[in-house]
Amino acid sequence: MCHSESTLVQRKGVKDAEFEGKVRFQEAPAQKVQTSSDDWGSVWIVCAIMAIVSWVTMPATLATKEPTAQHVWYYGWLAALSTGLGAFPLLFMSKPSDFWLGVSNAIAAGMMLSASVSLVTEGVALDPDGAALMGHEVSHTVRVCVGMVLGRS
């Protein structure tokens, strides 16, 4: 090993050597996150605040034909809490294995595919609303297809 390669090997997270045209990287060892009792106290306080906000802002009726701004706020709030809840297990892991990353990605991809199919089906099934472009009626199917094409770019 030449002098420049040995210097690179000593620095963590930096290219350590070139071997037969392939670049290898040295990975720093995973470290477990240390939490003190003060940190857990803060977590419980934040959880209590989120529970209070959820209880106080909940609309009187959750199912309604005419949603109000309070309904929109509350459902957005629940979506934000759900997103945070999905990341909760990461608090207890120093570095997830490749297997669990793959499983998590597969589940997320399945949910996104399911949501996409549901939205396309719902968009195409809408009753005609008389929307026109330059005097020609534009169906929901055409609008959904144009949206899918524009969304890919």
Side-chain angles (χ1 to χ4, degrees), residues 43-94:
V43 169
W44 285 112
I45 290 171
V46 169
C47 288
I49 290 171
M50 290 189 297
I52 291 169
V53 168
S54 298
W55 181 260
V56 170
T57 62
M58 183 172 62
T61 58
L62 293 178
T64 181
K65 292 187 180 201
E66 294 182 22
T68 63
Q70 186 179 11
H71 286 92
V72 174
W73 152 258
Y74 189 70
Y75 292 133
W77 174 252
L78 290 181
L81 288 179
S82 299
T83 302
L85 188 61
F88 186 70
L90 296 176
L91 287 175
F92 304 105
M93 303 171 82
S94 59

Side-chain angles (χ1 to χ4, degrees), residues 6-143:
S6 65
T7 305
L8 287 173
V9 169
Q10 294 171 0
R11 293 176 16 201
K12 290 189 183 295
V14 179
K15 180 171 47 168
D16 65 351
E18 291 191 28
F19 180 71
E20 296 178 10
K22 295 182 182 176
V23 178
R24 296 181 309 202
F25 288 89
Q26 183 176 359
E27 186 175 308
Q31 298 176 354
K32 241 183 163 22
V33 177
Q34 298 292 329
T35 56
S36 67
S37 60
D38 292 339
D39 293 339
W40 285 111
S42 300
V43 169
W44 285 112
I45 290 171
V46 169
C47 288
I49 290 171
M50 290 189 297
I52 291 169
V53 168
S54 298
W55 181 260
V56 170
T57 62
M58 183 172 62
T61 58
L62 293 178
T64 181
K65 292 187 180 201
E66 294 182 22
T68 63
Q70 186 179 11
H71 286 92
V72 174
W73 152 258
Y74 189 70
Y75 292 133
W77 174 252
L78 290 181
L81 288 179
S82 299
T83 302
L85 188 61
F88 186 70
L90 296 176
L91 287 175
F92 304 105
M93 303 171 82
S94 59
K95 182 181 178 206
S97 68
D98 289 341
F99 172 79
W100 287 112
L101 286 176
V103 168
S104 299
N105 283 336
I107 291 170
M111 289 179 168
M112 292 302 293
L113 184 61
S114 173
S116 298
V117 169
S118 175
L119 288 171
V120 167
T121 304
E122 186 176 329
V124 170
L126 290 172
D127 293 331
D129 59 359
L133 180 65
M134 293 189 208
H136 299 286
E137 186 176 344
V138 182
S139 70
H140 288 290
T141 304
V142 170
R143 287 188 265 176

